[in-house]
Amino acid sequence: MAQAAAVAKPPAPPRRRRASATPRRLPYLLIAPAALLMLGFIAYPVLSVFYYSLQNYNPTKPWRNGFAGLDNFTRAFAHDPQFWDTLTFSAKWVVVEVALQLLFGLALALIVNQTFVGRAVGRALVFSPWAVSGVLTSAIWVLLYNSQTGISRYLADAGLGSYGTSWLSDTSTVFPAAVVADLWRGVPFFAILILADLQSVSKDLYEAAEVDGASRLQQFWHITLPHLKDAIVLSTLLRAVWEFNNVDLLYTLTGGGPAGETTTLPLYIANTSVDAHNFGYASALTTVAFVILLFCSIVYLRLSKFGGESR
């Protein structure tokens, strides 16, 4: 018996159950309804714009509705000087705003990154304008620019300027006035992103640079800026797209005036669709704006080598 027990075979290992595919698919099944809803809310409007860009569609003139082919695009490029004026102003607006916001945002980020008494309060004050909506921002600056109760009246009391000056109604001052208003809200965006990236820079690099005799300017140029490269590229790209599509602030602040001096392409599109009810032509202009933004974004990311190693 002992011999038989010795030669007895060990019990077979239990069979491993085949893993069910359901648990692996469960996360995708759970997010599928939300993903489909998001796809519908995004894809349907985009496809609708492309469709209506090839149509003559004006609800107030239904007898003219129908397939237009490329007529809307031909009209924009060849027969609509306002399209080129608004596109030119949009480019000017984006370049000036993004450049100034980046400059002041970088300066603020470097300041609040230092150690000083009340730094937390200072950071809160610097970042607070970003929490204000575009319409509320423009309402605040409309009051500040009011010719009777705003800044111009106090400047006139101090002997600077004359009473009744309206900076938003003068073609020579409306652009800088609008730029300042948008700077107040846009600078914190750059400051937040750049500050977050600054805090990840190793202090050992600066200590080693000081030992080697590098000045503050050399440390900034050879350590800080290369480290901030991707943050700057991404923030400028995002902000450029948002500034190009800026409608709420300019519409509330100036309405595109005076004499169309502050009408961007998206604001022109809004006026064409909402006021003139020409949704076909507005859709064609939207498609053109989409292609321009897509092309410029790709070129910018290629030229900046986003995500690559900094030399």
Side-chain angles (χ1 to χ4, degrees):
M1 299 233 1
Q3 187 178 3
V7 298
K9 294 182 178 180
R15 286 188 176 183
R16 302 178 70 180
R17 292 185 178 180
R18 186 177 180 183
S20 175
T22 303
R24 290 181 296 177
R25 296 176 181 174
L26 184 60
Y28 301 100
L29 294 175
L30 293 176
I31 66 173
L36 291 175
L37 284 174
M38 290 181 62
L39 182 62
F41 281 113
I42 295 175
Y44 176 74
V46 172
L47 294 177
S48 296
V49 168
F50 291 153
Y51 170 76
Y52 285 114
S53 67
L54 302 175
Q55 306 289 323
N56 287 322
Y57 182 67
N58 189 332
T60 62
K61 301 176 181 178
W63 59 88
R64 295 184 179 179
N65 294 345
F67 181 74
L70 299 178
D71 290 348
N72 289 325
F73 298 96
T74 303
R75 173 186 171 185
F77 288 104
H79 307 292
D80 188 1
Q82 192 171 358
F83 163 74
W84 292 106
D85 293 340
T86 57
L87 183 60
T88 302
F89 177 76
S90 297
K92 175 184 175 182
W93 173 263
V94 169
V95 171
V96 172
E97 278 292 343
V98 173
L100 291 178
Q101 289 177 22
L102 173 61
L103 179 63
F104 290 115
L106 177 59
L108 279 177
L110 292 172
I111 293 173
V112 297
N113 191 46
Q114 304 299 317
T115 302
F116 56 89
V117 178
R119 184 174 67 172
V121 177
R123 288 180 176 180
L125 292 176
V126 168
F127 300 152
S128 58
W130 181 245
V132 182
S133 68
V135 174
L136 183 56
T137 298
S138 57
I140 294 172
W141 284 93
V142 164
L143 293 175
L144 290 175
Y145 288 145
N146 187 280
S147 59
Q148 303 300 323
T149 59
I151 300 173
S152 60
R153 176 184 176 181
Y154 293 100
L155 291 177
D157 291 340
L160 302 174
S162 57
Y163 290 99
T165 301
S166 179
W167 293 341
L168 297 178
S169 301
D170 191 340
T171 56
S172 62
T173 58
V174 63
F175 179 73
V179 166
V180 171
D182 199 48
L183 279 177
W184 180 79
R185 182 169 178 253
V187 166
F189 170 77
F190 283 95
I192 292 171
L193 290 184
I194 294 175
L195 177 63
D197 210 26
L198 275 174
Q199 294 178 337
S200 64
V201 183
S202 176
K203 293 182 179 180
D204 295 339
L205 296 175
Y206 295 103
E207 293 176 357
E210 288 182 2
V211 171
D212 291 338
S215 64
R216 287 291 183 90
L217 182 59
Q218 289 174 327
Q219 293 177 29
F220 173 76
W221 188 260
H222 296 286
I223 298 176
T224 305
L225 274 185
H227 186 87
L228 295 176
K229 174 196 166 187
D230 284 350
I232 291 176
V233 170
L234 181 61
S235 58
T236 51
L237 177 61
L238 291 176
R239 197 61 189 160
V241 173
W242 292 341
E243 288 297 343
F244 184 88
N245 293 318
N246 191 334
V247 173
D248 53 356
L249 186 137
L250 286 175
Y251 182 80
T252 311
L253 199 64
T254 67
E261 287 290 325
T262 58
T263 302
T264 59
L265 180 57
L267 187 55
Y268 178 46
I269 293 172
N271 292 334
T272 302
S273 58
V274 177
D275 296 338
H277 305 288
N278 194 347
F279 294 98
Y281 186 55
S283 297
L285 294 177
T286 304
T287 303
V288 173
F290 170 77
V291 173
I292 291 174
L293 286 177
L294 180 62
F295 175 77
C296 292
S297 299
I298 293 174
V299 172
Y300 180 66
L301 290 175
R302 288 291 184 89
L303 293 178
S304 62
K305 297 180 181 179
F306 177 73
E309 295 184 359
S310 301
R311 293 184 178 180

